[in-house]
Amino acid sequence: MKKIKHSAGWARATFGLMALTCTALWMTGLVMYALPAESLMDLDPTEATLRHAAGVVHGVSTWLFCLMCGRGVWPHVRVMWHKRDAKINWLLGLVHFFVLSVVALGGLVLLYGSPEWHDGMSPVHFWVGAFGPIVFLAHTWRRFVPSFGALNR
């Protein structure tokens, strides 16, 4: 009888694309924070072009992020919701979901909210997003250390 491989609802390509998308969002967010829109008139042409490109890539990556949430995150949540064997990893998954939700809802407020909401949400969106990779790595570290996964089977 063939042993069925444990599936967490993620294909390797889907996980890689989601990680790449989150990395693009993170990097472009850092660029937009370092080169704020308020100082656009004071930036030299290279910095202004970099700021503009970061905004475009951030927007396109946001669309791809939403697509990947439907393709990868929801199937992962559906498969893993009842598998609470590894309590710490399951709780880190909840924290990661919360972090991604705060960043996504914050992005919507920044895009569509009033100026007062924008001013309040901008630092929250940036700082939660800036430290989001720490939660991501804590939740997914087993994917990056293949020898540990082989020892646990």
Side-chain angles (χ1 to χ4, degrees):
M1 187 170 198
K2 188 175 181 180
K3 185 177 178 183
I4 298 173
K5 186 180 174 187
H6 169 73
S7 174
W10 283 102
R12 185 175 304 234
T14 307
F15 178 81
L17 192 54
M18 185 62 156
L20 185 66
T21 302
C22 288
T23 301
L25 286 166
W26 183 72
M27 290 174 59
T28 56
L30 291 177
V31 169
M32 291 190 305
Y33 182 78
L35 304 170
E38 295 83 28
S39 65
L40 197 57
M41 299 305 277
D42 300 328
L43 298 176
D44 66 53
T46 304
E47 290 175 330
T49 302
L50 181 62
R51 171 68 164 89
H52 176 72
V56 170
V57 172
H58 202 76
V60 171
S61 297
T62 300
W63 174 83
L64 189 56
F65 174 81
C66 293
L67 183 72
M68 295 308 300
C69 280
R71 177 70 178 104
V73 173
W74 294 127
H76 174 67
V77 169
R78 181 181 46 80
V79 169
M80 299 308 292
W81 186 254
H82 298 289
K83 295 182 180 183
R84 298 181 185 170
D85 313 357
K87 291 271 188 213
I88 296 297
N89 207 31
W90 192 84
L91 288 172
L92 283 169
L94 284 180
V95 171
H96 193 222
F97 181 74
F98 177 74
V99 165
L100 290 176
S101 298
V102 167
V103 171
L105 292 173
L108 287 172
V109 168
L110 291 174
L111 193 57
Y112 298 114
S114 68
E116 295 83 26
W117 284 30
H118 187 280
D119 293 343
M121 182 53 72
S122 186
V124 173
H125 180 76
F126 172 75
W127 289 110
V128 173
F131 289 106
I134 294 170
V135 178
F136 170 76
L137 289 173
H139 177 60
T140 62
W141 68 274
R142 291 184 196 183
R143 281 227 179 219
F144 302 107
V145 184
S147 60
F148 181 80
L151 293 174
N152 272 351
R153 289 185 190 148

